[in-house]
Amino acid sequence: MGKYRFIAIDVDGTLLDDNDKFDVNRLNQDIELLQRQNYHFIIASGNSYDALSTIFQPCPLVKEFVAENGGRLIVNGKSVYGKTHSIATLQQLYAFIKHTFPSPDILSLSGETQTILAEQYRDVPVLFYPHHTYFSDLQKITEPIYNLNVGWAKRKLSQAIIQGYVNQLNEQFPNLIQATYSGAYGIDILPAGVNKALGLKRLVENYLNGTLDQVVAFGDTSNDIEMLSEVGYGYAMKNATADLLKVADKVTRYDNNHAGLLSEIEHQFINRYKYYVN
């Protein structure tokens, strides 16, 4: 895959297995071998940077992030771009969700430094939010908000039902937001014009001196559709949702519970290199 310079990976359902684990040592070794060949290794996730920096704390070579589904870019620990919601938009969304959909099992806001959950979820365990607090009045939130996430994990609503909610949100707020199915029974509600493809394009072109057609990307669900459709080569995980499988150039041989991502990266980018240098 000689023309490619960038490898962009999703996290949940792609790198992480269903228990939110990954082989840290194997990933670190693979990134080192990729960097020796001058590849950039990019994280492209719907997660907040707070969550991502915690996940990749034991991986010091991971330095380039497309967080919040493209709404926030971080290079070498510095935020270089961000697109946020206004409080007025958040108020409209909160009211619409409350009066239109079944009561969510969780509702949270991704802020600059932490996740902010609605007060009624104070008793819900949120181990996946490293730093968090609670709100009862949106007007009192002072930090930038990149994403409103709402989910029904306890109810285990089908993807088809949740996609219907996504469509309703996008129809109701066409110039304000971009809602997308996030996996794990949830919806990410982003500012209009935000998706992983646009975020990745901005990162690669403006900060890494490259182009989107030089990117190989890996993902597993609906919020990866734009990314896999627009990069040079798009891999869907074997465990990917049907809508993503339709747009992928190729499907990994193994799923996320069997190191499908790292196996494919090693097969395509590392094994031949190791053969020639040895």
Side-chain angles (χ1 to χ4, degrees), residues 68 71 82-93 97 108-111 138 141-149 169-170 173 175-179 187-194:
E68 309 286 7
K83 189 169 185 180
T84 59
H85 286 299
S86 69
I87 293 298
T89 296
L90 292 173
Q91 290 175 319
Q92 292 180 61
L93 289 168
I97 291 166
S108 64
L109 308 173
S110 288
L138 286 166
I141 294 174
T142 57
E143 66 178 281
I145 300 298
Y146 297 92
N147 178 16
L148 188 161
N149 178 270
L169 284 160
N170 287 327
F173 304 99
N175 300 312
L176 290 177
I177 62 106
Q178 176 63 49
I187 299 173
D188 285 330
I189 307 175
L190 312 160
V194 170

Side-chain angles (χ1 to χ4, degrees), residues 224-238:
D224 297 311
I225 288 175
E226 293 92 349
M227 179 171 71
L228 263 63
S229 298
E230 298 183 32
V231 296
Y233 203 88
Y235 277 92
M237 297 297 295
K238 186 176 182 180

Side-chain angles (χ1 to χ4, degrees), residues 11 38 78 101 106 113 138-139 185 231 267 271 274 278:
V11 177
N38 297 315
K78 295 183 178 180
F101 302 146
I106 196 76
T113 64
L138 286 166
Q139 289 283 5
Y185 310 102
V231 296
H267 177 69
N271 291 345
K274 290 168 70 175
N278 291 330

Side-chain angles (χ1 to χ4, degrees), residues 19-69:
N19 295 311
D20 296 330
K21 305 293 184 183
F22 69 101
D23 188 331
V24 173
N25 291 332
R26 184 175 177 182
L27 177 65
N28 284 337
Q29 291 170 5
D30 285 352
I31 296 174
E32 182 179 355
L33 291 169
L34 289 168
Q35 291 184 347
R36 287 184 191 177
Q37 301 174 76
N38 297 315
Y39 289 109
H40 286 263
F41 189 82
I42 302 168
I43 304 302
S45 172
N47 286 317
S48 68
Y49 180 59
D50 180 37
L52 293 173
S53 60
T54 301
I55 292 168
F56 292 101
Q57 188 276 331
C59 304
L61 296 178
V62 178
K63 298 180 178 180
E64 296 154 359
F65 295 88
V66 177
E68 309 286 7
N69 285 308

Side-chain angles (χ1 to χ4, degrees), residues 256-272:
N256 65 312
N257 289 319
H258 297 87
L261 170 72
L262 296 183
S263 295
E264 201 67 46
I265 288 174
E266 290 160 1
H267 177 69
Q268 295 294 344
F269 299 98
I270 292 176
N271 291 345
R272 294 174 191 172

